Amino acid sequence: MNRRYFLKIGGLSTLSAVVPSQAFSAGSHVSYALTPKPAKADIVGADFPATPVWGYNGQVPGPPLRIPHGDRLSAAVTNALEAPTAIHWHGIRLPNAMDGVAGLTQPPIKPGETFTYEFTPPDSGTYWYHSHVNAYEQVGRGLYGPLIIEEKKPPTVDRDLIWMIDDWRLTKDASISEDFGNGHDLSHAGRIGNVPTVNGRYKEVVKVRAGERLRLRLINASNARNFSLSFGALNPFIIAIDGQAIEPFQPQQNIIVGAASRVDLIIDMTGTPGSQLPVVDSFYRQSFDLVTFEYENEPLRTSTLDSDIALDLPDMPEPDVNNAVTQEIVIAGGAMGGLQRAMLNGEWLDLREIARQGYVWAINDIVGNRMDMPPLIDVKRGQSVLLTIKNQTAFPHPMHLHGHHMKLLEIDGEKVEPSQWVDSPLIMPRETFTLAFVADNPGDWLFHCHALEHHAAGLGTLVRVT
Ligand code: C2O
Ligand code: CU
């Protein structure tokens, strides 16, 4: 764990900075300094030059921020880029002014300026932070990092690992392909890269020991790539989705991690000492090894741990579906989407004209191209909202709601069990998701596709809570 950027303040002298955060009772204050800046990263290994990236404190991923549940987080962000920026704390139910959406919840942080975020995350779990200015470019260049809110009673594991998954589009000399936001990416699956990485490294080998119990926090920071992971015979338990605990279960299929989503796993390493096991992705036509587990020759123990792995279930406000405001959301557009015309800036236009202006997607026939558009949902604080989201396009869409978590009730009319809380559900072509949430967090919140090129090309809207 990287604690170089870790500093304790709030009544404590800075000398206590060397003491790990767990040493303090809940309610203390953890401060970080984050500087987005150009840097070089060794992504593809020694046979290639280092890749010029943008990273928080020069690292890709940015430093892991880990705070105990109940503590207050502050992050002073000093912009050392030549472009404006801002940081969004993905999945955290925080005050609107701290949400980091430039143009909606704050002005962009200009080059040379510092902006300090400060909030107390109400829920434990696995989250992440990333740029929310020209996100399709800034996230694509490396401006993201993990954010872990530690449970008071975590399950007993030998190691708690973060795998921040990304895919990069690199050229032959391992530099970032500069074709951000090109028309094809906007109108198809988004920017799908050619170099998938875990924690910024291509084809990483992860050393493990037989008998070891891992907690694996998968965080998908890709612009648009979704993952469908197979762990072979290991048969992991899923214990949390999008940061929120779920009754532990062993999925019968691959583990899907849509863009922006998180999945927490418990894995008992039951393989043979000395052996190897690839973790294979097969979301798209061509499958590949994302990482490889390599067992040391010495087992850690000969049987597996049998302690409890369940996390405390989340403390989310339960939506009242019988008294909810209902809203149907139809996602349309993109290549092969059949959308003829839509409303752009209050005017009905042919898709051809809309595309000429750089947009190709719409929600309920409205192109979400601006932060000051009328909100699709406008409710009083405390109102339950029932959403039916229909994907009428040819592409998957990870739909992210800011400031709230949604309870996933049904997929194509079939009840989802056990029920789960999500902030970035991946909706496949022609699927219909039914979700509900309590709009209890005041402010204007983005609700958008987290395939970042899709959002840039109009796939977004606003939820207003007053
Ligand atoms: Cu993770 Cu609007 O973002
Ligand atoms: Cu999308």
Side-chain angles (χ1 to χ4, degrees), residues 3 16 42 66 87 99 117 126 136 155 170 237 277 310 331 359 368 392 434 436 438 448:
R3 290 205 179 264
S16 60
D42 178 12
R66 282 191 100 113
I87 295 186
D99 199 40
Y117 295 90
T126 303
Y136 65 94
L170 301 185
F237 280 92
L277 176 77
I331 302 171
Y359 302 98
Q392 292 189 345
T434 310
V438 181
H448 67 92

Side-chain angles (χ1 to χ4, degrees), residues 33-41 43 51-65 77-90 100 109 111 117 127-147 164-168 176 180 191 197 200 219-223 260 450 452:
L34 292 174
T35 302
K37 61 180 181 189
K40 291 208 167 171
I43 293 175
T51 301
V53 297
W54 293 358
Y56 293 111
N57 300 355
Q59 295 172 233
V60 170
L65 314 187
V77 179
T78 302
N79 184 0
L81 303 166
E82 277 168 18
T85 196
I87 295 186
H88 171 56
W89 310 91
H90 186 112
I109 310 169
Y117 295 90
Y127 304 90
W128 60 301
Y129 60 97
H130 65 80
S131 165
H132 217 299
V133 174
N134 289 338
Y136 65 94
E137 178 188 354
Q138 296 200 356
V139 174
R141 290 188 189 278
L143 288 176
Y144 60 79
L147 170 58
M164 203 152 196
I165 308 171
D166 191 5
D167 79 324
W168 303 75
I176 291 177
F180 288 105
R191 182 181 173 94
T197 57
I219 307 173
N220 186 353
S222 306
N223 276 37
H450 219 286
L452 298 172

Side-chain angles (χ1 to χ4, degrees), residues 169 181-191 335 361 395 453-454:
R169 186 179 291 169
N182 70 66
H184 186 273
D185 289 349
L186 294 181
S187 58
H188 291 72
R191 182 181 173 94
W361 307 95
F395 298 93
E453 292 71 26
H454 292 178

